[in-house]
Amino acid sequence: MTPAGPPLLDGVRALLDEAAGCYAERPEVAERLHASRRRLDEPLRLALVGRVKSGKSTLLNALVGTRIAPTDAGECTRVVTLYRHGATPRVVLHDTDGGRRTLPVRRADGGLRLDLGGTPTEEVAHLVVDWPAPDLLPATVVDTPGISSLSGATSARTRTFLDGEAGLAGADVVVFLTRQPQPEDVAVLAAFQAGTEAGPAHTTTITVLSRADEVGAGRLDALLAAGAVARRMSEDPQLAAVSSAVVPVAGLVALAGRTLRHADHVALHALATADAAQVSSMLLTADRFCRPETPVPLSAEVRTSLLDRLGLFGIRLAITLVRAGIADATALADELVRRSGLAELQRLLRVHFTDRAPQLRAGTALRLLEGVLAEHPVDGGERLLAEAERLRLATGDLGELDLLARSRSAASPLPAALRADAERLLGADGTGPAARLGLPEDTPTTTLRTAARQALHRWQEAAADPLADRAGVDAAEVVVRSCEALLAGLDGWSAAGALAGALPAAGGEVLPGGPGEQRDQAEDEQPGGRDQR
């Protein structure tokens, strides 16, 4: 739907360089633009934020697929830590004075054990951990100290990181973990939105209902209950104003699925094939399960390890799945990941953020540039603004992301009856043609083209509705442009060309002007067309 990432980012880089040159005599302003340009060349930063004991480190380990982040209450959980992809493991401490030093890499239980080496936490700005995990390639994941901590300094580190430096937020995206949103939580997210220059377009946050298995008191249907709670949370206008989605995740179950070992499967199989009544009695409490003597031929050490890796709920769920016929470790691991909610979270992160990372970073940079030009007028500013607008219009994903975010808010500009259709066409379920049209991946191109034409006509009618307000018409026109670009792609034309103004006519002739210009021309040809709207 957009120009390839590199050409788009090249245009934004050139624009930022030109703008920085205009502020050569104002170094503090130029540095904001230089910092924004440097971030364009970095992976997307995804920060996990939440209260103390909300499960941030466990979720990070599940997303990465290895036990890399400390989950205890040690000193390293009180500092901001960036986990990024690297060929070899490395840990670098950045102190508050701007210095840095390498820390020893210590492994434990297949993961990493962090140690500040005697440096007081108040002197640590952040840690940077390089780790050879493929899941860190699309984005750098940031573990933050808990907000609303008893230690004000600990909570302040998270806020300081999110506020960033030189007017640039420390993260591009926030995954906010909560069990019950509080007013202070919403305030933190709103402040982050303002820091990313996102304004009312809350494209940068997803909320996770964390430790979802505890919602239903550990019953086997706990995740179903958590799903219902998440749906109610997503309807809260205050939360919807700062978050684009709410998804329940049982972090410990997710991590167990990502790191399940063959020995774990063997032990779970032994429990599943033992006397059901005796196993149920063992699983009433953690103490019962870890008693030295049990009717199941598993050592206390093995049972303690299972409890540490899966928790009681995870063990109950895994035993039930094995009894239902899941026979091998790989299938069991996949099912645990799916049922934990992690697979849905990964899908949302991919669709909303990592698949559109160049466009998301470009949009943030353009909004920052526009804010700088408004705050500090300069000669040539109008030309810079015009070029920023040209890049924005040539990049359909920016408008799609903005509208996707606003569609979830209480003041959604989309018609309620068509909202789900619009979100799908905007790429909420995936950016491929079949996903946008709600059809199977193997759907023939002719069927996709027919469905795309129907969607285009549907949204052209919505955009021409004389009773629609201005916001509704503008939103419908964004969907129309997405449909036009989708059709152009199916007909062999570049989506970028379609959005920039080169749509094929029915006979193959290229029409001048963009989609909006073509509609304006059609209205002008009809007496009173524009006045009727």
Side-chain angles (χ1 to χ4, degrees), residues 403-442:
L403 182 54
L404 266 176
R406 289 186 289 125
S407 74
R408 307 289 176 90
S409 68
S412 172
L414 292 166
L418 295 174
R419 190 172 303 162
D421 182 47
E423 291 178 355
R424 187 179 64 250
L425 289 167
L426 292 169
D429 296 333
T431 55
R436 288 179 183 266
L437 295 168
L439 297 172
E441 285 296 328
D442 57 352

Side-chain angles (χ1 to χ4, degrees), residues 78-80 93-101 116-127 153 157:
R78 299 197 294 272
V79 300
V80 173
L93 184 151
H94 294 246
D95 60 39
T96 53
D97 293 331
R100 63 180 67 182
R101 62 188 179 91
L116 298 182
T119 304
T121 55
E122 58 269 16
E123 297 179 9
V124 178
H126 59 270
L127 299 177
R157 293 187 189 100

Side-chain angles (χ1 to χ4, degrees), residues 76-133:
C76 288
T77 62
R78 299 197 294 272
V79 300
V80 173
T81 306
L82 287 75
Y83 295 88
R84 65 186 188 184
H85 183 268
T88 58
R90 187 177 67 157
V91 182
V92 178
L93 184 151
H94 294 246
D95 60 39
T96 53
D97 293 331
R100 63 180 67 182
R101 62 188 179 91
T102 302
L103 299 178
V105 176
R106 296 188 174 92
R107 296 174 181 265
D109 193 23
L112 177 67
R113 175 168 293 174
L114 295 176
D115 184 352
L116 298 182
T119 304
T121 55
E122 58 269 16
E123 297 179 9
V124 178
H126 59 270
L127 299 177
V128 176
V129 176
D130 291 344
W131 198 260

Side-chain angles (χ1 to χ4, degrees), residues 70 110 157 164 177 182 190 232 265 297 352 399 409 425-426 470 479 485:
R157 293 187 189 100
L177 286 79
Q182 303 296 326
R232 288 197 297 271
H265 180 260
H352 285 267
S409 68
L425 289 167
L426 292 169
R470 185 70 256 173
V479 184

Side-chain angles (χ1 to χ4, degrees), residues 7 40 48 65 233 276 332 351 360 362 390 410 483 493 501 507 524:
L40 286 175
L48 304 183
M233 286 173 57
L332 179 59
V351 168
L360 195 63
R390 185 194 70 79
C483 293
W493 292 76
D524 290 341

